Amino acid sequence: MIEALQQVFAQNLAEGLEVGGSVSVWQHGAPLCTICGGDTGRGQAWAEHTLVPIYSATKPAAAACLLQALYDCCRTPELEVGDLWPAFPAPHCTVGQLLSHQVGLAALAEPAPLEDLEQCRAVIERSTPLWQPPAHGYHPQTFGPLVDILMLELTGMRVSDYWERKVRAPLGLEFFIGHVPQEHFADVAHLRTARMLSSMPQTPFYRAYFDAQSPVHRAFHSITGYGSAREMNTPAAWQCGSPAKGGVASARGVAAFYQAVLGLLPGSPFAPEVAEWLQTPLCSGHDHTLLQHTAFGCGAMCEPAEFFPLGGFGHAGAGGSFAFAAPEYGLSFAYVMRGMELGNLPGERVRRFLRVVASATL
């Protein structure tokens, strides 16, 4: 597997699909390999410890924190959101439905700033759900304040604080959600913005995304702040701690997290139920935001199937980062990069890695 992954990385670099990044594969609590290539955009070669913003690949880690907090309180994802947050616009929806993007609040009544959680709360409470379960639509931005507010109501801590105290620091993970120490700032690669195509794909998603009045466009812009690669290349973005997109990590840090949630990493704080809740699909079908077929467990993607050739669960991040766990094989995979690409889901450079991992494992 290692040689084949190295060949794929070299091919991606040679074809200009990659400019700098890393792939890490772990199994049964230990690393199989971590492969790096390219540069960080800061005059340095990419190293195993290089960090980079991973956008929505943060979501499963944030969800795992909330799920563990529920477990510690002898609760399950069947708990109604209104029991924790009485003013929530869909109080009878469950926490599981919220984590699986079924509560219809991807697009809010008006924009709210990511930096102001209480303003986000107020705007969410004034918003009307656009659909009801079992319909679903990915919540790219609002997932962050939704999960943060539930964590506050449940534990008195925001997700970033819970993650740092209960998960990251005890395990020594190279995966920060806020709380990036200043001495690590020099290790953070600079993102390169996606290159615009000469003509954008004429798909239903792109037509809706570029229509400022559409719910799809609003879903990606309801929470404002740190929306561009330039904004993400700042210490303020690395410290924002958004549960939706605030993760800053190395590939081996993300892959190690998935080992922890599978209970394969010594000292893991996660109960077995957390992995079960993450991987059990709660919705599957047409996604009202991404306008294609998707499936979600409690905070993790389970489909499209081409990204989960070994089964399991994981998540993509804007620009192309991707990670997953395959519980049946005790395996986890993570890919992080700085050269962003267009699209909702990872492109060919990731699919090549996934084909190698699947063929070497099956």
Side-chain angles (χ1 to χ4, degrees), residues 179-201:
H179 301 286
V180 181
Q182 188 169 354
E183 59 265 29
H184 285 298
F185 285 0
D187 297 328
V188 184
H190 275 190
L191 296 169
R192 189 190 73 179
T193 191
R195 293 174 175 170
M196 297 300 292
L197 303 175
S198 56
S199 60
M200 296 301 295

Side-chain angles (χ1 to χ4, degrees), residues 107-113 119-120 122-124 126-127 218 221-224:
L108 301 181
E110 61 194 80
Q119 187 172 343
C120 289
V123 172
I124 290 168
R126 292 197 297 269
S127 299
R218 289 165 48 216
H221 297 87
S222 282
I223 304 298
T224 62

Side-chain angles (χ1 to χ4, degrees), residues 45 56 86 118 133 170 188 228 288 290 347 350:
S56 291
E118 287 311 304
V188 184
S228 68
H288 285 267
L290 299 181
V350 175

